[in-house]
């Protein structure tokens, strides 16, 4: 639990940098990271670029897999996740283009595109660390309420709440209704998961995540079953939690 968005971003970026550096990635044994878009990771990307610029980390032997992409939105569209990633991260670091993996929402055969992605993840040896955010309704990647807890990368129909919340980015017209997304099973297969949750509007999602039961309405709850999962949050996001839950995690933090 960090005081605010900035300290949460700083902590998360430092954690990722440390993970990469300790792993000592090489061309033969790259560090594989799953990445999200959205406002939550922006501060983390900014900080990681700073670390790169000051020579503290290199992404030369890092392989990335993005979580999701809208269906039917060309790469050059300024709301595509492809555009977002290059604009906010990839253009500013030394990552090799061939190490960047993103779902193509304009592929001729979307089913094959999803299968290709799953195979590629296996080919590189699986994901070492999956970074993610969460929707206000508790979804991770685009695993909307009702998603199968065993789902793999697939086409997903976006729910009304997500479409509504995205409409501001599309001037309320032609808001995408479908997306390609890694599945909950895909995320669960990663060796480590790190979710960042910031702001009061995410407080209910954090409450379900920590105090709720595992269910497919709040898909983030599945992470309770993950063997190595960290939830990084700010104080605002904890406002729906029980005092004893907050105290429990604060104490853990002190000890570790
Ligand atoms: C979208 C993305 C998610 C992201 C969520 C929250 O649904 N597919 O990966 O976590 O939005 O976005 P934000 O961080 O902007 O609140």
């Amino acid at each position: 639990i960090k005081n605010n968005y900035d300290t949460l971003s700083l902590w998360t970026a430092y954690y990722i940098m440390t993970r990469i550096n300790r792993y000592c990635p090489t061309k033969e044994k790259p560090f594989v990271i799953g990445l999200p878009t959205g406002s939550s990771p922006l501060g983390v990307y900014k900080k990681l670029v700073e670390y790169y610029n000051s020579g503290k980390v290199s992404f030369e032997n890092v392989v990335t897999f993005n979580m999701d992409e809208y269906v039917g939105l060309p790469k050059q569209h300024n709301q595509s996740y492809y555009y977002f990633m290059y604009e906010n991260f990839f253009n500013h670091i030394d990552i090799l283009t061939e190490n960047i993996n993103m779902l193509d929402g304009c592929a001729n055969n979307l089913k094959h595109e999803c299968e290709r992605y799953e195979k590629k993840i296996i080919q590189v040896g699986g994901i070492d660390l999956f970074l993610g955010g969460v929707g206000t309704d508790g979804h991770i990647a685009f695993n909307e309420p009702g998603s199968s807890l065993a789902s793999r990368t697939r086409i997903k129909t976006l729910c009304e709440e997500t479409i509504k919340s995205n409409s501001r980015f599309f001037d309320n017209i032609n808001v995408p209704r479908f997306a390609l997304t890694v599945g909950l099973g895909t995320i669960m297969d990663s060796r480590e998961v790190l979710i960042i949750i910031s702001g009061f509007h995410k407080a209910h999602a954090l409450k379900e995540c920590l105090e709720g039961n595992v269910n497919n309405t709040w898909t983030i709850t599945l992470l309770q079953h993950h063997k190595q999962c960290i939830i990084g949050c700010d104080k605002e996001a904890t406002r729906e939690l029980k005092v004893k839950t907050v105290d429990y995690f604060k104490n853990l933090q002190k000890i570790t």
Side-chain angles (χ1 to χ4, degrees), residues 163-177:
I163 294 171
K164 249 188 230 153
S165 110
N166 283 343
S167 57
R168 62 203 148 112
F169 302 122
F170 294 89
D171 296 330
N172 294 314
I173 44 167
N174 297 329
V175 189
R177 302 195 147 258

Side-chain angles (χ1 to χ4, degrees), residues 36-41 67-68 70 81 132-136 139-142 144 162 165-166 168-169 181 196 201-202:
T37 54
S39 49
S40 308
M67 290 186 140
D68 42 17
Y70 290 118
Y81 285 174
V134 67
T136 48
H139 73 254
I140 44 176
F142 265 133
E144 300 277 45
T162 305
S165 110
N166 283 343
R168 62 203 148 112
F169 302 122
T181 179
I196 37 177
H201 60 306
K202 301 285 176 75

Side-chain angles (χ1 to χ4, degrees), residues 106-249:
C106 290
N108 284 334
N109 189 325
L110 295 175
K111 195 166 175 284
H112 286 174
E113 173 60 6
C114 295
E115 286 163 5
R116 176 194 70 81
Y117 213 60
E118 286 279 332
K119 278 188 198 139
K120 187 81 191 285
I121 294 174
I122 294 170
Q123 236 173 48
V124 299
I127 293 173
D128 291 302
L129 173 63
F130 221 125
L131 176 69
V134 67
T136 48
D137 59 1
H139 73 254
I140 44 176
F142 265 133
N143 294 288
E144 300 277 45
S147 290
S148 156
L149 298 184
S151 51
R152 311 301 310 186
T153 305
R154 68 206 185 290
I155 308 164
K156 195 81 191 83
T157 311
L158 302 182
C159 71
E160 218 38 55
E161 190 165 337
T162 305
I163 294 171
K164 249 188 230 153
S165 110
N166 283 343
S167 57
R168 62 203 148 112
F169 302 122
F170 294 89
D171 296 330
N172 294 314
I173 44 167
N174 297 329
V175 189
R177 302 195 147 258
F178 301 94
L180 301 186
T181 179
V182 295
L184 291 165
T186 324
I187 296 171
M188 288 297 282
D189 282 350
S190 324
R191 285 181 272 282
E192 188 175 10
V193 179
L194 170 50
I195 302 289
I196 37 177
I197 308 185
S198 165
F200 181 58
H201 60 306
K202 301 285 176 75
H204 193 172
L206 180 60
K207 182 183 174 57
E208 294 294 335
C209 169
L210 296 180
E211 296 173 348
N213 297 322
V214 175
N215 67 85
N216 73 346
T217 302
W218 297 84
T219 56
I220 192 168
T221 57
L222 180 61
L223 294 175
Q224 291 176 18
H225 281 299
H226 196 278
K227 54 195 177 301
Q228 184 71 39
C229 175
I230 301 178
I231 307 290
C233 65
D234 60 12
K235 266 193 194 158
E236 282 290 297
T238 66
R239 283 173 59 186
E240 296 272 350
L241 292 178
K242 289 182 184 138
V243 172
K244 71 172 182 186
T245 308
V246 175
D247 282 350
Y248 172 79
F249 283 107

